[in-house]
């Protein structure tokens, strides 16, 4: 009998990068990508673990791996920016056997300062744009499941009644451990 490991999930990390004006950076995925081509999405993707990683992984380690995706897609390093980040939530898809981790990253940079830093991967990223909280809530079509999940979650946690789902204060500071 062939042994199958049914507990293997792919892991993804996504950064919700916020400008000092309170807008969020979103990307339009490359038009030739296999999954969700030309859809709006968050920066991030499949997390690559080194072979020496143990069964427990800290939220900081997941953030560092997510940052590698940011560097690959946009050409800049979040750790070199003056920014605060918080793990905000994770989602599990049993059908796709995936677990996605989402981070809110509040920078002190303007939209233009971020644009000036971007050296996008032309295959993975068709376009970079910045959206307000209201624009994000009103996106209806052409958005990836990753971005859709973030919007659904953000609307649930607007516990300050600010109606601004792009506020760092809406998200807990918990560090996540995967056991």
């Amino acid at each position: 009998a062939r042994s199958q490991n049914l507990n293997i999930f792919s892991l993804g990390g996504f950064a919700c990068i916020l400008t000092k004006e309170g807008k969020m950076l979103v990307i339009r995925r490359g038009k030739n990508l296999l999954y969700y081509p030309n859809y709006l999405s968050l920066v991030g993707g499949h997390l690559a673990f080194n072979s020496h990683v143990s069964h427990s992984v800290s939220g900081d380690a997941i953030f560092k791996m997510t940052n590698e995706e940011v560097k690959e897609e946009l050409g800049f390093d979040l750790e070199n920016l003056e920014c605060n980040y918080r793990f905000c939530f994770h989602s599990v898809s049993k059908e796709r056997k995936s677990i996605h981790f989402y981070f809110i990253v509040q920078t002190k940079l303007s939209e233009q300062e971020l644009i000036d830093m971007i050296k996008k991967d032309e295959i993975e990223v068709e376009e970079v744009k910045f959206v307000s909280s209201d624009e994000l809530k009103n996106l209806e079509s052409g958005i990836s499941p990753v971005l859709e999940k973030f919007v659904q979650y953000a609307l649930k946690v607007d516990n300050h009644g600010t109606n601004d789902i792009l506020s760092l204060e809406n998200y807990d500071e918990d560090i996540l451990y995967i056991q």
Side-chain angles (χ1 to χ4, degrees):
R2 179 181 252 181
S3 170
Q4 290 184 339
N5 187 343
L6 301 177
N7 296 320
I8 295 177
F9 278 74
S10 70
L11 300 179
F14 298 93
C16 310
I17 301 170
L18 307 179
T19 67
K20 71 179 182 184
E21 299 94 352
K23 289 191 169 185
M24 185 171 78
L25 185 153
V26 294
I27 61 169
R28 183 165 307 282
R29 293 174 47 82
K31 60 185 172 203
N32 296 317
L33 293 178
L34 182 60
Y35 298 108
Y36 307 104
N38 226 28
Y39 277 54
L40 286 178
S41 191
L42 297 173
V43 181
H46 179 76
L47 299 181
F49 282 87
N50 296 331
S51 57
H52 64 275
V53 171
S54 69
H55 293 290
S56 295
V57 180
S58 72
D60 284 334
I62 293 172
F63 180 76
K64 286 181 187 310
M65 289 182 279
T66 301
N67 186 38
E68 290 300 317
E69 286 293 316
V70 172
K71 287 191 271 186
E72 178 186 312
E73 292 179 12
L74 297 179
F76 65 82
D77 187 340
L78 292 172
E79 293 185 333
N80 291 338
L81 303 181
E82 195 172 329
C83 65
N84 292 319
Y85 74 89
R86 292 182 185 166
F87 167 75
C88 56
F89 77 107
H90 71 279
S91 67
V92 177
S93 169
K94 290 181 182 173
E95 315 81 62
R96 295 194 65 208
K97 290 197 164 230
S98 63
I99 302 172
H100 292 158
F101 300 91
Y102 295 76
F103 294 89
I104 294 286
V105 182
Q106 177 66 64
T107 72
K108 294 186 177 185
L109 300 175
S110 69
E111 186 176 321
Q112 188 58 53
E113 289 170 317
L114 276 172
I115 289 169
D116 292 344
M117 294 175 57
I118 293 171
K119 295 175 190 76
K120 69 183 175 76
D121 178 313
E122 299 294 332
I123 295 170
E124 296 221 16
V125 179
E126 188 72 24
E127 174 189 13
V128 175
K129 60 190 290 182
F130 294 86
V131 295
S132 69
S133 187
D134 287 338
E135 290 169 321
L136 196 57
K137 287 187 261 185
N138 292 316
L139 292 174
E140 292 181 7
S141 63
I143 67 171
S144 71
V146 164
L147 183 53
E148 189 175 3
K149 287 261 191 228
F150 171 75
V151 173
Q152 288 169 357
Y153 178 78
L155 289 170
K156 286 181 189 172
V157 298
D158 182 22
N159 54 10
H160 290 81
T162 62
N163 234 3
D164 181 4
I165 62 173
L166 298 180
S167 171
L168 188 66
E169 288 73 33
N170 281 344
Y171 302 94
D172 294 332
E173 292 189 55
D174 296 338
I175 297 296
L176 174 77
Y177 290 90
I178 308 167
Q179 299 277 329

